[in-house]
């Protein structure tokens, strides 16, 4: 049985990240992720064959819309994370910064994707390691809740491919809540977008289907949050880095039943570990930390190896509640998507979310990934970290990395910084023990 | 009729004397640049060798970093334009030039008349310049001139991925302490430089062939790495270091002819 | 002639020492509100009886700002933060910060916690201008700004005051556009540096005062015979062209600026507030929809290259100098398209790096000189 599952999941390199060399068989939930990812790309290929329009979407665009309309949508951010994790980024980076003339300063997801797109568009001839399964889009779905670079990136894609952008401006929230004025603006955009998208794709909006998609999406958000919360057990039932692998389900397939199955499976696996007092974390959990920022995809193995050396398990991240989106109508959805991304929140809200995670998971320290690709995080994190550290009373360290550009990292630096953090955490632990 | 070109760089001074705009009668390089006795030494040398004087020069063009303070020059022209002109003189078939100096790297696209059409420069970052190689040669404890031949022996070049010179240095040290063969590291270093420079050069398009100049062009390892990255043959002219001065002398001739109403 | 030079000197003094301008207004009993680059609703400050002043960074040594911003944040924000932390803006009642790019989003929070003595008011401009709901949304953002201004300073506006302010600003726009046109006949006097001064100084004066000075300046220019400029002509594009040494390098190379598309300069004055269409706030909100060709304001089609090509043809410019503020990612996305479209339209262009903290200009000198040599 597992043989069959293994075979179909064999090109499992497609999904988000290779976990460290498993000394045990891969968890079923992970295999399901691989299958789901393949299924998504396959459905895009088939849709294209049928002459249907396929889109590319920003990662925190309301997926409920495409799901309700039955349109296949792929996610460049997720795709490029995979390219980076599989160490296939180099030719795309060279192409983007070379012949395409882009600055090195840009977000590496954008750099990779713009080069990949140039290949799809016949302008570049870099070999596509995945054979072009990130099919050429007929339209783009854009929100700017994650950041403003997305807007510019998609402007460029639209011009390059001569395709429309369906855009929801999800305004930044300087207040601790989403103002009604924002909700009205976003709602109006959603209404218009649904109309325009239907006209463009020939699909129709089905209110019953929407209700079902909302139900599934919220169930999945609940299950995802539940799984993340299970990390509050000691020892945590899994190595926290593994949770990054499930993000593709939450980003690309949030409204699907297949994600419900995966999340249920993940919860079950974690509950099983808790019951048996085991964990997938390969050594004894000496220290529990939170990780701030996205994974440093090109160097996951090195990160893990280094953390494992000191028994440091990442039990919390800012992504646990990233899709804690509760609503039951379009207005609610409008509000939810303004608030969904931690980057669209003011510092107080950001800190609130992180404090909650730090406390709940009983973290002893924080590792902050200064992700060169991500100015929207890096340009305020120093202040946020200072305040958080003071509030939570835990030490933190940072390291220079990148979500996809493998050239922005130093193994020596990471090791030194982690060692430093461990030393402080150790002191704190001993002080606590000695009263 | 003689024209004089002088290229006062940051670390070296080069001069060239052209006869009737076509015959290179003298050229010289002194490894001392602007603000030193380098320019004076270079100039005096060629005059002594040819028996000519400043008065024999119908037009003088100065270029390079130190071009702003040259009292005996008739005109100053930027080193990019002079370089383009000079390489064109030396290699008339070439349309793409990459110059990797000690402090910067440039890519030039030129017309069939040696006119500069477009250029790209890296003038802020040490990576992709001679400076990067100097730092790495020191770490490897080899002479900078040995780097090239050393890398040619490599069977399995390592990847030096970091574009920050400081971090790359730490990567090299880490490779050394893992007993990676030194020639593989050297090759990796050259690949890193070539990648960075090729990226910049490819913004000008993919050439059929190209020339390299600048101090780093003497490093055979970098030249071969550039060939791989650019996907075309790379030619290095033995006089390429003097290209700026030669180009300045050619410009001097053109300016002189224009002034005199002659045809070039 | 004396009037002309006097006018220029006055504007230059304001650019050289904006602090003196700030002190002047404070001594007049006026309140001053800082307005972060690139866009701020100055009119709301003005209509509330206060003086808006632009904050466009400057040359300084970055020390305290390093605790808030990493090395790869743009120099305008670095400098604003540094100045703020060092107390250079002391006396301002508040600052308005538009969260229009990723770094600016963060600045609303950095300033909020770092410089508590000058409260920060965030404004989030709508980017989906194709949707009519964006207008009402922007009106509500304006009202939020007004409420915060009132809470902080005690100053309120009324409809008449806003109406008058809009007229003043539209008049100012008109005069600045006239200056740009007239300047091209007097490039002997309006060097790149003087041209920049006339535009930039607008950030340091009450608008009608600035209008009066520029009007005098224009009269002074018109009194002179038209000057036949024989050197090269360029259009500048980008966020801004600073510091002054860069402009001097243009002059050195016998290059005149005959038009610009800079956010700091002409972009501020090329979109008028409609005179009809509702109350003041509504019309101000509609003005936002008139803005175009700014890398920070969402637009489809990458139109800047085409717009610049047209501008070159209209002004007779020989080429375009693309002023790339270092680490400005919105600009970096536009750059390859800009260059491509300009080249395809047959207009030479070159990019130069703009960094207010720059101490050495040799590289820019070489690039500009080479560009001119190739024209």
């Amino acid at each position: 049985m597992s043989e069959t599952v293994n075979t179909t999941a064999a090109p499992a390199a497609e999904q988000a990240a290779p976990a460290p060399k498993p000394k045990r068989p891969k968890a079923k939930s992970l295999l399901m992720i691989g299958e789901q990812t393949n299924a998504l790309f396959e459905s895009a290929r088939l849709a294209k064959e049928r002459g249907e329009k396929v889109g590319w979407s920003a990662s925190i665009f309301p997926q409920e819309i495409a799901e309700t309309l039955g349109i296949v949508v792929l996610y460049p951010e997720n795709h490029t994370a995979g390219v980076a994790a599989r160490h296939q980024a180099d030719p795309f980076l060279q192409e983007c910064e070379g012949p395409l003339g882009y600055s090195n300063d840009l977000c590496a997801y954008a750099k990779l994707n713009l080069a990949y797109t140039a290949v799809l568009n016949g302008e570049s001839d870099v070999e596509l390691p995945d054979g072009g399964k990130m099919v050429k889009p007929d339209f783009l779905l854009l929100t700017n809740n994650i950041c403003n670079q997305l807007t510019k990136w998609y402007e460029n894609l639209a011009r390059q491919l001569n395709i429309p952008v369906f855009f929801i401006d999800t305004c930044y929230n300087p207040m601790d809540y989403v103002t009604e004025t924002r909700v009205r603006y976003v709602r109006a955009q959603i209404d218009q977008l649904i109309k325009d998208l239907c006209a463009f794709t020939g699909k129709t909006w089905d209110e019953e289907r929407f209700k079902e998609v909302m139900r599934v999406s919220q169930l999945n958000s609940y299950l995802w949050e539940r799984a993340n919360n299970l990390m509050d057990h000691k020892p945590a039932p899994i190595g926290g880095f593994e949770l990054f692998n499930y993000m593709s389900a939450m980003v690309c397939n949030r409204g699907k039943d297949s994600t419900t199955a995966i999340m249920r499976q993940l919860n079950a696996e974690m509950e099983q570990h808790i019951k048996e007092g085991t964990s997938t974390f390969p050594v004894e959990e000496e220290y529990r930390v939170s990780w701030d920022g996205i994974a440093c995809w090109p160097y996951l193995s090195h990160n893990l190896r280094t953390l494992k050396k000191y028994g440091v398990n990442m039990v919390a991240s800012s992504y646990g509640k990233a899709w804690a989106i509760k609503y039951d109508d379009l207005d609610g959805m409008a509000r939810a998507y303004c608030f969904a991304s931690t980057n669209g929140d003011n510092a107080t809200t950001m800190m609130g979310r992180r404090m909650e995670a730090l406390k709940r998971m009983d973290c002893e320290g924080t590792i902050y990934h200064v992700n060169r690709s991500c100015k929207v995080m890096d340009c305020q994190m120093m202040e946020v970290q200072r305040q958080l550290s003071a509030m939570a009373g835990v030490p933190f360290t940072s390291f220079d990395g990148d979500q996809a550009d493998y050239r922005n990292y130093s193994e020596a630096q990471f090791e030194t910084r982690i060692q430093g953090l461990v030393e402080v955490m150790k002191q704190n632990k001993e002080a606590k023990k000695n009263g | 009729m003689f024209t004089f070109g002088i290229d006062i760089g940051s670390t070296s001074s080069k001069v060239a004397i052209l006869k009737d705009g076509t015959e290179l009668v003298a050229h010289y390089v002194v490894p001392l640049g602007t603000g030193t006795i380098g320019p004076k030494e270079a100039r005096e040398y060629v005059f002594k060798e040819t028996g000519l004087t400043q008065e024999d020069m119908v037009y003088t063009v100065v270029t390079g970093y130190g071009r702003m303070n040259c009292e005996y020059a008739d005109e100053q022209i930027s080193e990019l334009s002079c370089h383009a002109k000079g390489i064109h003189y030396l290699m008339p078939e070439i349309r793409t030039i990459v110059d990797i100096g000690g402090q910067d790297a440039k890519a030039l696209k030129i017309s069939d008349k040696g006119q500069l059409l477009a250029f790209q420069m890296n003038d802020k970052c040490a990576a992709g310049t001679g400076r990067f190689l100097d730092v790495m040669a020191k770490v490897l404890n080899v002479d900078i001139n040995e780097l090239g031949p050393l890398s040619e022996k490599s069977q399995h070049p390592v990847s030096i991925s970091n574009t920050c010179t400081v971090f790359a240095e730490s990567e090299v040290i880490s490779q050394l302490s893992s007993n990676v063969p030194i020639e593989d590291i050297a090759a990796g270093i050259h690949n890193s430089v070539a990648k960075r420079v090729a990226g910049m050069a490819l913004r000008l398009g993919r050439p059929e062939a190209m020339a390299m100049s600048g101090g780093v062009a003497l490093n055979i390892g970098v030249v071969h790495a550039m060939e791989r990255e650019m996907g075309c043959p790379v030619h290095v002219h033995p006089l390429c270091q003097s290209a700026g001065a030669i180009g300045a002398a050619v410009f001097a001739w053109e300016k002189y002819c224009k002034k005199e109403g002659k045809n070039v | 002639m004396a009037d002309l030079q006097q006018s220029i000197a006055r504007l230059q003094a304001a650019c050289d020492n904006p602090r003196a301008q700030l002190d002047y207004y404070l001594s007049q009993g006026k309140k001053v509100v800082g307005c972060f680059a690139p866009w701020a609703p100055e009119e709301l400050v003005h209509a509330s009886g206060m003086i808006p002043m632009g904050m466009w960074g400057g040359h300084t040594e970055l020390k305290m700002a390093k605790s808030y911003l990493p090395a790869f944040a743009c120099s305008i924000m670095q400098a604003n933060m540094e100045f703020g932390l060092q107390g250079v803006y002391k006396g301002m009642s508040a600052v308005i910060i538009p969260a229009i790019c990723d770094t600016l989003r963060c600045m609303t929070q950095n300033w909020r916690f770092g410089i508590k003595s000058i409260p920060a008011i965030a404004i989030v401009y709508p980017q989906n201008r194709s949707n009519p709901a964006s207008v009402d949304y922007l009106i509500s953002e304006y009202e939020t700004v007004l409420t915060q201004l009132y809470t902080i300073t005690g100053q309120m506006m009324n409809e008449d005051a806003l109406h008058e302010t809009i007229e003043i600003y539209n008049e100012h726009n008109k005069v600045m556009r006239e200056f740009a046109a007239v300047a091209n006949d007097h490039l002997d006097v309006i060097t790149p540096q003087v041209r920049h001064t006339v535009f930039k100084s607008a950030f340091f004066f009450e608008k009608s005062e600035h209008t009066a000075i520029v009007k005098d300046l224009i009269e002074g220019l018109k009194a002179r015979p038209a000057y036949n400029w024989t050197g090269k002509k360029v259009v500048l594009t980008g966020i801004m062209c600073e510091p002054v040494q860069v402009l001097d390098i243009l002059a050195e190379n016998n290059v005149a600026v005959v038009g610009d598309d800079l956010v700091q300069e002409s972009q501020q004055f090329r979109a008028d507030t409609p005179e009809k269409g509702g109350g003041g706030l509504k019309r101000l909100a509609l003005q936002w929809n008139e803005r175009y060709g700014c890398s920070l304001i969402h637009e489809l089609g990458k139109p800047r290259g085409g717009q610049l090509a047209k501008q070159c043809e209209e002004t007779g410019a020989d080429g375009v100098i693309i002023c790339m503020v270092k680490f400005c990612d919105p600009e970096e996305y536009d750059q390859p398209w800009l260059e491509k479209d300009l080249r395809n339209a047959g207009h030479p262009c070159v990019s130069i790096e703009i960094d207010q903290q720059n101490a050495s200009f040799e590289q820019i000198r070489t690039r500009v000189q080479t560009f001119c040599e190739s024209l």
Side-chain angles (χ1 to χ4, degrees):
Chain A
M1 189 66 139
S2 56
E3 279 306 303
T4 322
V5 172
N6 268 333
T7 324
T8 44
E14 305 328 336
Q15 58 93 326
K21 295 198 175 48
K23 293 179 178 68
R24 54 198 137 68
K26 219 169 178 179
K28 181 167 180 210
S29 57
L30 272 180
L31 296 171
M32 290 164 80
I33 285 277
E35 282 170 25
Q36 187 188 57
T37 305
N38 289 342
L40 181 61
F41 282 118
E42 183 62 5
S43 67
R45 189 186 69 78
L46 291 170
K48 279 280 200 176
E49 264 179 22
R50 287 194 302 268
E52 277 173 35
K53 297 195 160 67
V54 171
W56 282 1
S57 172
S59 59
I60 308 190
F61 184 89
Q63 51 81 30
E64 292 82 344
I65 296 176
E67 197 61 46
T68 301
L69 292 175
I71 309 172
V72 180
V73 152
L74 301 177
Y75 294 81
E77 292 159 67
N78 200 260
H79 173 252
T80 51
V83 169
R86 292 188 297 275
H87 306 116
Q88 296 163 335
D90 189 57
F92 295 107
L93 291 170
Q94 289 288 113
E95 183 73 12
C96 186
E97 294 173 15
L100 297 181
Y102 283 102
S103 169
N104 172 266
D105 181 49
L106 299 178
C107 158
Y109 283 167
K111 287 194 289 193
L112 293 186
N113 179 253
L114 285 166
Y116 192 98
T117 303
V119 178
L120 292 178
N121 214 27
E123 295 159 23
S124 301
D125 50 29
V126 174
E127 196 189 313
L128 297 180
D130 56 13
K133 62 167 30 128
M134 187 71 184
V135 297
K136 199 167 162 184
D138 302 295
F139 64 92
L140 301 166
L141 300 176
L142 170 70
T143 44
N144 49 5
N145 42 18
I146 267 214
C147 72
N148 289 297
Q149 279 209 41
L150 267 169
T151 309
K152 301 299 296 180
W153 170 8
Y154 277 47
E155 276 173 19
N156 285 20
L157 287 176
R159 163 87 193 253
Q160 196 175 359
L161 300 170
N162 197 22
I163 56 178
V165 183
F166 297 93
F167 174 37
I168 304 176
D169 178 18
T170 43
C171 317
Y172 177 65
N173 300 295
M175 310 277 188
D176 292 359
Y177 68 102
V178 181
T179 62
E180 274 304 304
T181 58
R182 278 164 175 68
V183 174
R184 281 200 292 270
Y185 173 41
V186 173
R187 174 65 202 271
Q189 291 177 78
I190 289 175
D191 288 346
Q192 187 62 45
L193 187 143
I194 292 173
K195 276 202 194 86
D196 293 341
L197 197 52
C198 286
F200 182 73
T201 57
K203 303 282 186 181
T204 47
W205 184 259
D206 180 337
E207 197 58 33
E208 286 313 305
R209 173 83 188 118
F210 175 52
K211 285 201 173 86
E212 175 60 14
V213 169
M214 275 198 292
R215 186 193 67 78
V216 174
S217 305
Q218 285 175 64
L219 173 59
N220 291 338
S221 297
Y222 160 74
L223 289 170
W224 167 249
E225 200 184 331
R226 187 178 188 282
N228 275 266
N229 284 343
L230 287 175
M231 297 297 281
D232 64 1
H233 283 81
K234 291 182 184 159
I238 61 171
F241 264 53
E242 287 172 43
L243 283 170
F244 281 133
N245 294 340
Y246 297 89
M247 278 178 64
S248 66
M250 294 309 288
V251 169
C252 312
N253 301 287
R254 195 156 66 254
K256 299 194 170 79
D257 293 325
S258 54
T259 295
T260 313
I262 291 171
M263 288 300 141
R264 286 202 198 284
Q265 177 64 26
L266 174 62
N267 272 276
E269 287 165 4
M270 290 172 85
E271 301 265 21
Q272 187 68 20
H273 281 295
I274 291 169
K275 196 162 127 199
E276 293 168 0
T278 52
S279 173
T280 62
F281 187 62
V283 299
E284 187 171 328
E285 187 178 277
E286 307 261 9
Y287 301 100
R288 298 165 63 88
V289 300
S290 73
W291 180 278
D292 209 305
I294 191 72
C296 183
W297 296 112
Y299 293 101
L300 274 180
S301 320
H302 182 253
N303 294 159
L304 278 166
R305 264 200 321 273
T306 312
L307 294 178
K308 179 177 147 187
K309 192 164 148 197
Y310 302 101
V312 176
N313 192 9
M314 167 200 131
V315 297
S317 78
S318 34
Y319 294 90
K321 268 211 146 135
W323 294 282
I325 306 171
K326 290 177 186 60
Y327 57 88
D328 37 40
D329 56 20
L330 284 174
D331 258 13
M333 193 170 90
R335 177 178 288 104
Y337 277 96
C338 271
F339 213 61
S341 164
T342 176
N343 301 340
D345 300 332
N346 67 12
T348 333
T349 309
M350 256 195 178
M351 287 190 279
R353 286 198 207 209
R354 283 157 171 74
M355 264 308 280
E356 209 184 305
L358 278 173
K359 278 215 172 85
R360 188 189 178 125
M361 307 305 169
D362 199 15
C363 296
E364 298 156 86
T366 302
I367 299 172
Y368 172 51
H369 171 199
V370 182
N371 178 358
R372 182 62 179 86
S373 276
C374 194
K375 283 180 190 165
V376 80
M377 286 196 104
D378 300 338
C379 290
Q380 66 184 312
M381 283 321 277
M382 282 188 239
E383 176 61 19
V384 167
Q385 279 302 327
R386 275 193 293 268
Q387 290 195 36
L388 261 180
S389 178
M391 277 198 288
V394 298
F396 67 95
T397 190
S398 68
F399 73 94
D400 294 308
D402 197 292
Q403 60 199 21
D405 190 333
Y406 72 99
R407 300 165 301 181
N408 293 329
Y409 183 76
S410 161
E411 292 191 353
Q413 191 208 52
F414 187 76
E415 287 163 20
T416 309
R417 303 272 176 111
I418 297 303
Q419 188 175 22
L421 178 67
V422 168
E423 277 161 19
V424 178
M425 291 194 295
K426 187 160 179 219
Q427 270 170 233
N428 289 351
K429 218 179 182 109
E430 273 159 20
K432 211 161 148 192
K433 229 186 344 182
N434 303 336
Chain B
M1 255 152 316
F2 301 99
T3 54
F4 188 51
I6 175 161
D7 178 0
I8 309 176
S10 47
T11 51
S12 61
S13 308
K14 287 98 34 180
V15 292
I17 300 177
L18 219 58
K19 184 177 170 189
D20 297 331
T22 53
E23 193 190 325
L24 187 64
V25 297
H27 59 91
Y28 196 60
V29 180
V30 171
L32 289 167
T34 181
T36 69
I37 55 160
K40 183 162 178 273
E41 231 181 70
R43 185 168 167 242
E44 279 173 5
Y45 181 89
V46 284
F47 283 159
K48 186 155 163 249
E49 201 187 71
T50 55
L52 297 166
T53 64
Q54 188 63 51
E55 286 66 45
D56 295 316
M57 305 296 138
V58 298
Y59 209 90
T60 298
V61 167
V62 61
T63 187
Y65 188 68
R67 67 189 180 284
M68 298 315 220
N69 309 304
C70 184
E71 343 79 55
Y72 52 83
D74 292 296
E75 194 170 336
Q76 53 93 357
I77 298 181
S78 86
E79 60 263 35
L80 289 147
S81 303
C82 285
H83 204 85
K85 209 51 133 163
I87 294 288
H88 181 68
Y89 174 89
L90 295 170
M91 296 183 278
E93 303 307 315
I94 290 293
R95 301 284 175 265
T96 298
I97 306 158
V98 166
D99 181 291
I100 311 179
Q103 331 273 346
D104 63 22
K106 328 173 185 34
L108 313 175
K109 192 162 156 193
I110 65 177
S111 72
D112 54 2
K113 296 193 174 44
Q115 202 198 355
L116 186 61
L117 296 174
F119 64 93
Q120 289 284 332
M121 279 184 80
N122 161 30
D123 44 25
K124 273 255 152 80
C125 181
T129 71
R131 171 59 55 84
F132 187 85
L133 295 169
D134 289 338
V135 170
M136 300 308 157
K138 218 166 166 175
V139 176
L140 295 180
N141 197 27
V142 300
D143 198 85
I144 186 76
N145 303 313
E146 290 171 40
L147 264 185
L150 183 62
S151 71
E152 294 285 280
K153 296 193 205 135
S154 168
Q155 300 282 325
H156 306 285
V158 294
S159 161
I160 305 293
S161 56
N162 216 294
T163 39
C164 164
T165 306
V166 175
F167 280 163
E169 196 180 335
S170 122
E171 260 185 270
V172 167
I173 291 169
S174 162
Q175 299 281 8
L176 272 177
S177 62
S178 307
N179 294 319
V180 170
I182 196 173
E183 57 268 21
D184 291 339
I185 302 177
I189 289 165
H190 292 150
N191 288 342
S192 178
V193 170
K195 261 187 142 117
R196 188 125 171 102
V197 177
M200 179 188 70
L202 286 170
R203 288 182 176 201
L204 299 174
R206 252 181 216 287
E208 306 267 293
M210 55 175 270
M212 261 184 78
S213 60
V216 176
L218 302 172
N219 179 323
I220 192 75
V222 175
V223 173
H224 286 161
M226 280 297 287
E227 281 183 329
R228 286 191 297 272
E229 289 296 325
M230 296 295 292
C232 72
V234 172
H235 305 282
V236 180
H237 196 283
L239 295 181
C240 68
Q241 210 185 355
S242 299
I246 294 171
V250 174
F251 265 127
W253 176 254
E254 287 175 5
K255 300 280 180 173
Y256 169 71
C257 290
K258 199 167 171 194
K259 207 173 76 168
E260 298 292 307
K262 289 190 170 135
N263 284 328
V264 178
Chain C
M1 183 56 185
D3 271 325
L4 176 60
Q5 287 306 336
Q6 257 173 0
S7 303
I8 293 174
R10 215 171 143 206
L11 299 180
Q12 188 64 57
C15 287
D16 290 340
N17 193 353
R19 177 76 228 183
Q21 286 292 106
L22 172 55
D23 287 332
Y24 164 70
Y25 286 115
L26 292 175
S27 72
Q28 297 289 304
K30 296 273 188 191
K31 293 194 158 69
V32 176
V33 172
C35 292
F36 258 66
W39 302 106
E42 284 196 14
E43 292 88 337
L44 301 180
V45 174
H46 190 276
S48 302
M50 300 186 279
I51 311 291
M53 273 206 184
M55 295 163 70
W56 287 78
H59 181 76
T60 182
E61 201 192 324
L62 301 175
K63 289 200 283 248
M64 297 177 79
K66 291 186 188 202
S67 302
Y68 290 86
L69 294 166
F72 44 86
C74 82
S75 76
I76 307 175
M77 292 306 123
Q78 302 261 24
N80 278 2
M81 194 69 200
E82 187 70 31
F83 287 150
L85 290 164
Q86 300 278 8
V88 165
Y89 298 121
K90 187 156 175 229
M92 279 187 180
S93 301
V95 293
I96 301 178
I97 308 180
I100 207 170
C101 74
D102 290 341
T103 308
L104 272 161
R105 233 189 234 196
C106 297
M107 285 302 289
T108 62
Q109 304 305 297
N110 285 339
W111 191 285
R112 177 186 170 197
F113 293 112
I115 302 147
K116 294 199 163 100
S117 54
I118 304 177
I121 301 170
I123 179 169
V124 185
Y125 283 97
Q127 293 285 23
N128 194 355
R129 300 179 297 166
S130 66
N131 193 303
S134 65
V135 176
D136 277 339
Y137 164 73
L138 183 51
I139 292 172
S140 64
E141 284 292 293
Y142 286 155
E143 289 182 328
T144 307
V145 170
L146 284 167
T147 306
Q148 288 181 78
L149 282 174
Y150 167 65
T151 315
I152 295 165
T153 68
Q155 307 268 137
M156 266 204 246
M157 68 150 212
N158 60 44
E159 189 63 30
D160 282 343
L162 183 57
H163 189 90
E164 204 190 305
T165 291
I166 288 174
E167 283 187 346
I168 289 174
Y169 272 72
N170 276 350
E171 166 77 358
H172 182 257
N173 287 353
K174 197 163 126 238
V175 167
M176 294 306 290
R177 293 195 294 262
E178 197 192 340
F179 164 70
V182 172
N184 287 354
D185 287 327
H186 303 279
L187 295 169
D188 53 332
V189 177
I190 308 301
T191 63
Q193 203 245 318
V194 168
R195 191 181 187 284
H196 167 72
T197 295
V198 176
F199 278 105
K200 189 171 181 188
S201 53
F203 288 115
F204 308 124
F205 285 91
E206 185 275 317
K207 280 304 177 281
S208 59
E209 279 177 41
H210 193 255
T211 302
I213 303 172
V214 179
K215 266 187 168 155
D216 277 344
L217 203 153
I218 292 172
E219 288 315 304
L221 287 177
K222 281 179 170 170
R224 292 165 64 88
Y227 182 79
N228 181 31
W229 180 259
T230 53
K232 298 283 182 225
K233 297 176 176 176
V234 296
V235 168
L236 303 178
T237 188
I239 303 293
M240 63 184 187
C241 187
E242 284 188 2
V244 130
Q245 287 92 325
V246 178
L247 299 161
D248 290 340
I249 288 172
L250 293 181
E252 237 176 68
N253 284 279
N254 219 25
V255 173
V257 176
V258 294
D260 80 87
D261 176 50
L262 297 167
V263 177
Q264 190 193 49
E265 299 184 16
S266 285
Q267 288 214 17
Q268 298 286 322
F269 313 116
R270 66 189 190 192
D272 292 336
T273 300
E275 283 165 28
K276 298 248 183 306
L281 285 181
K282 173 121 189 228
R283 290 188 287 123
L284 260 185
L286 289 171
Q287 183 206 29
W288 182 245
N289 291 350
E290 300 297 310
R291 301 215 182 274
Y292 65 90
C294 174
S295 55
L296 295 136
I297 306 177
H298 176 57
E299 250 180 313
L300 289 171
K302 311 306 292 180
R304 276 173 73 189
Q307 284 158 10
L308 277 164
K310 200 157 145 252
Q311 199 173 2
C312 280
E313 281 142 33
E314 282 165 6
T315 55
D318 299 297
V320 176
I321 296 184
I322 305 171
C323 305
M324 295 294 296
V325 166
K326 190 163 181 186
F327 297 127
C328 180
D329 40 277
E331 287 277 290
E332 288 159 1
Y333 279 97
D334 281 0
Q335 189 188 12
W337 284 103
L338 201 46
E339 289 177 350
K340 183 172 156 175
D341 290 343
L342 277 171
R343 293 217 176 97
N344 287 344
H347 297 285
C349 60
V350 71
S351 290
I352 58 174
E353 185 181 272
I354 301 294
D355 179 357
Q356 291 173 321
Q357 316 319 327
N358 195 13
S360 154
F361 298 89
E362 279 318 306
Q363 290 99 342
I364 295 182
R365 179 169 277 119
T366 303
R367 278 196 204 223
V368 171
Q369 185 179 3
T370 307
F371 178 61
C372 295
E373 285 162 7
S374 70
L375 285 175

